[in-house]
Amino acid sequence: MNFTVLQLEGGPLTKEFKRLCPVITLPEFPWNVEHIFNNDTLRKKLAIHLLIQKLKGKHFDLIYSNTMVCLATAKALKRFLSVPLLLHTHEGKYNQSYLHTQSDWLRACDHVIAVSPLALKNLVELGAETDRIHVVFPTSVFIQQLLTDCPASSPKKEKTGKIVIGFIGPLIERKGADLLAKIAKSLTHLHPDCDFEIHCIGNSPELEEERQHVVYDAWRLGVSDKFRYIAPTSDPIPAYQNIDILLVPSREESFSLVVPECGLLGKPVILFDGSCGVQHLLQHEQNALLVPYLDTGAVAEAIYRLSVDAKLRQTLGEQLRLTMKEHYTHNDTNSQIIQILENIEKERKP
């Protein structure tokens, strides 16, 4: 298989893509999708025409849209190139509030990869045809790393005496970052004897404004001392090892890769019931604690329960580790995707 990456805009992975294959990065104009169909200037029309001719000359067999964000452009390219379109969507219902995905865009897809049954349900609600959707749970380089060297237990590297709660990812509303200060306040109010710290891991400098919202709320509620902010790193595993409990207060996650990543380290997880696609692999009280949606008091109680019961903490973490090891040992994400690509190619040939 030979690939060319067409980017709507550049990003931190551009250099890595260039090591593997040719990369074309589109300027903002004229390639905002609305310009493809508008009666724009002759210069813009010429730029589009030249790029289309270049792409046609490469005789591509497939357009692989690796996010719903670029689906509109992918649909337009399908019209020009006359090849099948595969959408690999990581977005859930929450993101549709600003993506405004249209049902005819989804119907233009010959096949769709959804990262969970929750993502599949959302696609069907948006108008996608069920028989075109393949559910393939995602993986990450860290999951593969932990599968090859997965300890039966992962002791903390820092011995502080505190219960360390991990929040992983950008401090944005969808991930429930705005709830963190409320949860910390509830926990200190309900259980003042609970000595805890919340580690916010991987909050990017590009989202400093969002981090300051959390900092401000924590200050107003008098829980600033309960927070520690850890910058993004190429190897987050040591930071993961240092937590006792993984907290995923997301309003919605189409999957949530941090659950298997930390799960393979034996870290118990707390999530909102029905909010994460990874819940398909979880069972309440067996390998996770699921609490009612946006119930910060219930989250605080779940944290306290795990903080005072080391045996429960260990049991839930170990069961989660075994669940994730079982799944990822017997399900190779990349092989499943390659099989889908090969089947699409077979469909094209008589």
Side-chain angles (χ1 to χ4, degrees), residues 82-349:
S82 301
V83 296
L85 169 58
L86 168 66
L87 169 65
H88 193 158
T89 175
H90 310 266
E91 293 81 18
K93 196 177 187 69
Y94 187 95
N95 286 330
Q96 298 311 317
S97 60
Y98 64 86
L99 287 178
H100 306 297
T101 304
Q102 299 178 23
S103 58
D104 65 305
W105 297 356
L106 291 169
R107 286 194 293 270
C109 299
D110 298 274
H111 292 272
V112 181
I113 296 175
V115 296
S116 66
L118 181 65
L120 182 151
K121 179 175 179 289
N122 177 55
L123 286 166
V124 173
E125 290 174 352
L126 288 171
E129 298 178 20
T130 308
D131 58 355
R132 297 187 183 188
I133 304 174
H134 314 265
V135 175
V136 180
F137 291 140
T139 189
S140 75
V141 64
F142 305 117
I143 289 173
Q144 300 308 313
Q145 176 184 327
L146 290 168
L147 281 175
T148 57
D149 183 24
C150 188
S153 61
S154 179
K156 290 168 58 176
K157 288 192 172 181
E158 297 179 16
K159 301 295 183 181
T160 63
K162 297 178 184 290
I163 288 294
V164 178
I165 303 151
F167 173 92
I168 300 170
L171 291 163
I172 57 177
E173 184 183 37
R174 178 177 62 81
K175 290 188 175 289
D178 58 311
L179 305 175
L180 291 175
K182 297 177 184 178
I183 291 168
K185 182 64 176 179
S186 292
L187 190 50
T188 56
H189 175 71
L190 294 169
H191 302 285
D193 59 315
C194 185
D195 190 9
F196 71 94
E197 193 170 65
I198 298 176
H199 286 194
C200 299
I201 302 168
N203 36 103
S204 172
E206 289 80 14
L207 297 172
E208 177 61 20
E209 183 178 346
E210 283 76 7
R211 187 177 79 89
Q212 287 304 320
H213 293 163
V214 178
V215 171
Y216 177 77
D217 285 346
W219 171 69
R220 287 293 304 272
L221 293 174
V223 290
S224 294
D225 62 318
K226 299 295 186 183
F227 285 82
R228 179 177 167 191
Y229 303 94
I230 300 172
T233 172
S234 59
D235 181 14
I237 300 301
Y240 294 176
Q241 288 175 319
N242 197 46
I243 69 174
D244 296 294
I245 302 165
L246 174 64
L247 174 61
V248 184
S250 298
R251 287 171 168 83
E252 184 184 59
E253 296 276 359
S254 57
F255 186 75
S256 187
L257 279 167
V258 297
V259 175
E261 288 172 354
C262 289
L264 286 168
L265 290 168
K267 308 299 181 179
V269 61
I270 301 170
L271 309 94
F272 286 133
D273 191 8
S275 290
C276 295
V278 72
Q279 188 175 332
H280 186 76
L281 301 174
L282 306 179
Q283 288 184 294
H284 181 52
E285 298 281 357
Q286 293 190 27
N287 58 8
L289 292 182
L290 307 174
V291 300
Y293 183 61
L294 297 187
D295 190 336
T296 54
V299 173
E301 291 291 1
I303 292 172
Y304 183 72
R305 182 181 170 196
L306 289 174
S307 71
V308 298
D309 192 338
K311 184 177 180 181
L312 176 63
R313 205 163 62 235
Q314 182 179 3
T315 299
L316 289 179
E318 176 62 11
Q319 288 303 312
L320 182 59
R321 187 185 72 82
L322 293 174
T323 298
M324 294 307 167
K325 185 176 181 180
E326 171 72 14
H327 173 78
Y328 283 100
T329 298
H330 295 95
N331 294 275
D332 185 335
T333 299
N334 293 331
S335 294
Q336 289 175 292
I337 293 173
I338 290 170
Q339 184 63 57
I340 291 169
L341 296 176
E342 291 176 342
N343 290 340
I344 293 173
E345 179 64 12
K346 289 176 183 176
E347 289 175 2
R348 295 186 70 236
K349 294 179 179 180

Side-chain angles (χ1 to χ4, degrees), residues 4-26:
T4 294
V5 171
L6 180 65
Q7 299 183 129
L8 298 189
E9 58 183 69
L13 295 180
T14 299
K15 289 183 179 179
E16 292 188 43
F17 282 135
K18 286 183 176 179
R19 294 191 192 105
L20 299 172
C21 62
V23 175
I24 301 170
T25 303
L26 299 177

Side-chain angles (χ1 to χ4, degrees), residues 32-92:
N32 276 349
V33 68
E34 60 266 22
H35 293 279
I36 295 176
F37 303 105
N38 289 349
N39 292 320
D40 269 320
T41 65
L42 181 61
R43 182 178 179 180
K44 290 177 180 178
K45 287 181 179 179
L46 179 60
I48 292 171
H49 175 76
L50 291 174
L51 180 57
I52 291 297
Q53 292 307 309
K54 179 179 180 179
L55 296 177
K56 282 184 175 180
K58 289 181 175 291
H59 304 291
F60 290 112
D61 300 304
L62 176 72
I63 299 167
Y64 188 137
S65 178
N66 80 327
T67 167
M68 206 176 282
V69 173
C70 58
L71 178 57
T73 298
K75 175 180 177 292
L77 286 174
K78 178 183 177 179
R79 170 189 169 188
F80 289 115
L81 301 181
S82 301
V83 296
L85 169 58
L86 168 66
L87 169 65
H88 193 158
T89 175
H90 310 266
E91 293 81 18

